[in-house]
Amino acid sequence: MKRVLFDIAALIARIITGVIFVAHGWQKWQGGHSAIASGFGEMGIPMPELAAGYAMVVELIGGVLLIIGLAVRPVALLLLANMLGAIIFAHWGKGVFVGEGGWELAAALGALCLLFLALGGGRIGIDGILSAMFRRRHERRAAEEDLVSYRPNRTDTTTGSYGATDTGSYGGPTTPARSTAEEPPDVPRQPGAPQQEPQQRPPQSRLNDEDMREIDSLVADEPPQHRKPPNR
């Protein structure tokens, strides 16, 4: 409710302030740039030609922008600088009342411009409409990003979401395509199991027949029969 009241009050203040500036700016345009620059020179305003052109453009165009609510803060800054120059160089030392050339009107307009500079022109205006559009677009983009972050990832046609099956876009899992040439499974070696040594061929025996007979007699618990040496 407070925000709505502020928007309405800001709209009324913008329109009234803008109409006053447009009226003064249009009066200066009707008088002509040379006449306004001559009057500024008589008031002691430095660079009267530049100051006259600045005042004419800022008051006329700035007043229109205040009415429609476009670029309110930059326009308020320019108009505030214009009013400060008018107070310092044209109205200071002549009292308060505007009928005596005082600074009351310039100060009131400058104070309104200061409020617009600090608080903006409200939501009822072009600035408010553009701001609402950009804010809604940003919120929509943030909502879409959040939706994408919580949506399950789409999988391809080969591995699926976890590298085992293909789930498609939103359907259930399907059986993956098997390769034509199946390889034997590579069974990993269990930890702690003894590693099998490659089979080696037994070494060739170098025992002669007599040695083999002695071995057989020992196994059969019979005394070995020694061969008698041949007679010489």
Side-chain angles (χ1 to χ4, degrees):
M1 186 63 182
K2 293 181 179 180
R3 184 64 183 274
V4 175
L5 292 177
F6 170 77
D7 294 334
I8 296 174
L11 174 63
I12 297 173
R14 278 193 357 251
I15 293 175
I16 295 176
T17 307
V19 168
I20 294 173
F21 276 116
V22 169
H24 282 270
W26 183 249
Q27 184 182 22
K28 289 181 176 63
W29 277 96
Q30 287 180 338
H33 180 266
S34 300
I36 300 301
S38 178
F40 281 8
E42 293 177 359
M43 294 178 186
I45 298 177
M47 295 182 290
E49 295 182 356
L50 180 61
Y54 177 83
M56 293 168 63
V57 173
V58 168
E59 290 179 3
L60 183 60
I61 299 179
V64 174
L65 293 178
L66 281 182
I67 293 173
I68 64 176
L70 178 61
V72 173
R73 280 190 169 92
V75 169
L77 179 61
L78 297 176
L79 291 171
L80 177 60
N82 185 39
M83 291 298 99
L84 289 176
I87 293 172
I88 295 172
F89 295 105
H91 303 289
W92 193 258
K94 296 181 180 180
V96 178
F97 301 106
V98 66
E100 300 175 358
W103 47 263
E104 61 176 346
L105 179 60
L109 294 175
L112 288 172
C113 292
L114 183 61
L115 286 177
F116 294 146
L117 178 62
L119 303 177
R123 294 178 295 179
I124 307 176
I126 297 180
D127 285 345
I129 296 173
L130 294 177
S131 177
M133 291 176 57
F134 285 118
R135 184 174 62 254
R136 290 176 183 176
R137 184 178 300 176
H138 178 72
E139 292 176 355
R140 187 182 300 111
R141 186 176 301 172
E144 291 176 355
E145 292 178 356
D146 293 340
L147 182 61
V148 170
S149 63
Y150 285 106
R151 181 182 299 171
N153 296 327
R154 299 185 63 182
T155 57
D156 55 12
T157 58
T158 55
T159 58
S161 58
Y162 295 98
T165 59
D166 180 15
T167 60
S169 299
Y170 299 97
T174 58
T175 305
R178 296 184 178 180
S179 58
T180 55
E182 295 184 356
E183 297 180 356
D186 186 8
V187 180
R189 186 173 62 87
Q190 298 295 330
Q195 186 175 4
Q196 297 180 357
E197 297 292 339
Q199 296 181 358
Q200 298 180 357
R201 298 178 61 183
Q204 296 180 356
S205 177
R206 298 181 179 178
L207 302 177
N208 53 18
D209 295 338
E210 184 178 359
D211 295 332
M212 293 300 297
R213 283 194 296 271
E214 291 180 358
I215 293 174
D216 292 339
S217 63
L218 290 175
V219 173
D221 295 334
E222 294 180 358
Q225 296 179 1
H226 297 283
R227 296 177 58 185
K228 296 180 179 181
N231 296 327
R232 295 183 179 180

